[in-house]
Amino acid sequence: MPLRALKARKDAPQVLPPMPSREQVYSDIEQRRLKEWENYQKSHRFMEEAHTNRIFLDIGIGDALAGRLVVELFEDVVPETAAHFRRLVTGESGTHDATGVKLDYLHTSLELIDRKHGYARFGDLLAYGVRLEPLRQETFKVRHTSRGLLTMTSYGPHLCNTSFSITLAAAPSLDFKQVVFGKVVDGLPLLEKLESLPLDQVGRPLTPVMIVLCGTLTGERPPGKWTSSQDRTGCKEDLAYEALE
């Protein structure tokens, strides 16, 4: 293939396949989550961060894969909040009794970008009719002092649920109101892409933004069993994710 064609192919945006329903993806999602965990274990086998509590969020903007956020959870400071978030990242919480909806951040949307107060809000399962028992606020020990912190959205004292935010700057207005439970350790440039998105009058992005894949990178081995890459040759989803590996 000519060099010019190779360069054009490399620079082209990685396009995601059409998004299936949340129910349709679960036969394959556990396999991909296991693959991501195993790849991270191999590449970080002798590194200190392999023993931390890390998860990943792959973000799609429109029909393109925008990048990955790697998050370290503060399980030593807020163990209940970190465990709650991790279960929603992995789908370990199962399904919602009343609605049958999978309790998982997969395919949830970026709902709001608040440039004035400095945060982007994700993960509200209320859109699917899901209401969980409120999560108590463990401690406000960690403040919203910098960019890339994860904080549980609160609708009042001890009224946290599934929605969370990522700070785009120091956000002192959230101190003593929301619990900080993690920080982005890789992928901070992706936040610049989110900040640059055009918004409507209330701060919702005009281009759909979605968590297209999420899972763990450290900790216990996920339960899925994935097929080899040879069995998935030519899969558009795999080709899109190769850009992140």
Side-chain angles (χ1 to χ4, degrees):
M1 183 178 293
L3 181 61
R4 182 178 299 176
L6 283 172
K7 186 178 186 303
R9 181 178 176 183
K10 181 179 179 181
D11 294 340
Q14 300 297 321
V15 178
L16 292 170
M19 189 66 70
S21 69
R22 299 180 91 234
E23 291 74 16
Q24 290 174 321
V25 301
Y26 278 101
S27 61
D28 178 67
I29 201 66
E30 299 301 336
Q31 298 171 357
R32 179 162 288 282
R33 281 173 167 162
L34 175 58
K35 177 181 178 181
E36 297 295 339
W37 181 88
E38 288 182 339
N39 287 343
Y40 195 85
Q41 294 298 308
K42 291 175 183 177
S43 61
H44 295 75
R45 185 174 299 168
F46 302 109
M47 300 180 68
E48 184 177 344
E49 57 260 38
H51 304 289
T52 59
N53 192 355
R54 293 193 172 186
I55 61 93
F56 70 91
L57 304 170
D58 287 348
I59 308 298
I61 299 177
D63 62 353
L65 186 64
R68 168 170 293 184
L69 298 173
V70 176
V71 175
E72 184 170 325
L73 303 179
F74 299 155
E75 60 181 346
D76 54 337
V77 180
V78 283
E80 292 179 22
T81 308
H84 172 77
F85 182 79
R86 187 182 179 101
R87 286 193 298 269
L88 289 168
V89 164
T90 62
E92 294 175 40
S93 295
T95 57
H96 187 238
D97 291 338
T99 63
V101 171
K102 181 76 172 175
L103 299 175
D104 197 315
Y105 283 135
L106 182 71
H107 293 175
T108 55
S109 300
L110 170 60
E111 308 147 24
L112 177 73
I113 296 178
D114 189 329
R115 289 173 176 151
K116 178 180 178 181
H117 296 100
Y119 64 85
R121 192 172 71 207
F122 286 88
D124 193 351
L125 291 176
L126 288 175
Y128 299 97
V130 172
R131 293 181 181 274
L132 302 179
E133 287 295 321
L135 180 70
R136 78 180 185 94
Q137 294 170 310
E138 292 179 83
T139 179
F140 299 117
K141 181 178 180 180
V142 183
R143 309 290 174 80
H144 302 78
T145 56
S146 62
R147 181 180 180 85
L149 295 173
L150 274 73
T151 175
M152 289 302 295
T153 303
S154 177
Y155 300 99
H158 304 294
L159 291 179
C160 304
N161 210 292
T162 64
S163 180
F164 69 95
S165 298
I166 302 175
T167 58
L168 304 175
S173 64
L174 301 180
D175 288 345
F176 304 105
K177 298 177 183 177
Q178 298 189 177
V179 174
V180 177
F181 63 90
K183 65 178 179 180
V184 176
V185 294
D186 191 17
L188 278 174
L190 177 55
L191 298 183
E192 297 177 8
K193 296 182 182 180
L194 300 182
E195 288 177 292
S196 66
L197 291 172
L199 308 176
D200 67 11
Q201 293 181 343
V202 296
R204 293 172 299 198
L206 297 178
T207 302
V209 180
M210 186 174 291
I211 297 174
V212 297
L213 185 66
C214 53
T216 60
L217 295 172
T218 61
E220 294 184 5
R221 183 180 187 273
K225 182 179 180 181
W226 63 282
T227 54
S228 68
S229 58
Q230 289 84 356
D231 296 331
R232 296 170 58 86
T233 302
C235 174
K236 291 183 180 179
E237 185 181 11
D238 281 339
L239 293 175
Y241 276 94
E242 285 175 4
L244 298 178
E245 296 178 353

